[in-house]
Amino acid sequence: MRAIVLNGVNLDQLGKRDPEHYAGVTLSELEKRIYEWANELECSVRCRQTNSEGEFVEWIHDAAEWADGVIVNPGAWTHYSWAIHDALELVSGPIVEVHLSDVEKREEWRKLSVLSDLVAAKIVGKGPDGYREALEFLCKQ
C-alpha cells in the first residue's frame, strides 16, 4: 500500500493553535508519528502540507498517478473547495478524510464537507490517532 497524507491550510501552525481542538502536537511531530505507524503497518507513506490551494490540487493530481490511497485533511478548504473536490475525483483508490478536532461538535460551518460524496471514510475528533486509524483503514483495502 502506497499512501499519501495531504494536510492543508493552517496545519503548519499545529502546536500554536488551540490544543483543546488540535491536540497540542506540531506538524513535525504528527508526521513523525505517521511515518512510524506506516512502518509498523508495513505500508509506504508520503506526508505533505501546504497553504496554497493550487499546490494542494497539484499534489492530488500527482497522487492520482501513483498512490493506492489518499488521506486528506484540507483544513478550512474542506468546507468550500470544489477545486479540491474535483481533483479528488481523479483518485481511483480510497480516500479518507481526517480532522484532528471533532468538526461535528464545533461551529455550524465546520460540519459541511464538500468532499463527503468522495470519501470511503471520515475520521474526526481523534487527534493524531485519527491518522493512524486512516492508515489502518487504507492498509485493509
Side-chain angles (χ1 to χ4, degrees), residues 43-134:
C43 65
S44 172
V45 70
R46 180 184 304 170
C47 295
R48 303 190 103 169
Q49 186 283 326
T50 185
N51 291 316
S52 168
E53 186 177 13
E55 186 170 39
F56 199 87
V57 166
E58 291 292 335
W59 289 344
I60 295 168
H61 293 169
D62 180 61
E65 298 296 320
W66 64 267
D68 300 312
V70 176
I71 297 170
V72 62
N73 181 349
W77 293 326
T78 303
H79 316 295
Y80 65 87
S81 179
W82 292 102
I84 290 172
H85 174 280
D86 290 352
L88 285 168
E89 285 184 321
L90 301 170
V91 173
S92 61
I95 302 165
V96 181
E97 181 181 342
V98 174
H99 298 282
L100 292 161
S101 69
D102 188 347
V103 292
E104 304 299 327
K105 294 181 180 174
R106 295 187 62 192
E107 301 91 340
E108 195 63 32
W109 63 269
R110 290 187 195 270
K111 296 176 185 178
L112 171 68
S113 171
V114 300
L115 312 178
S116 60
D117 65 317
L118 301 175
V119 300
K122 181 175 179 180
I123 302 166
V124 302
K126 296 186 177 183
D129 289 337
Y131 287 85
R132 180 182 179 98
E133 188 174 321

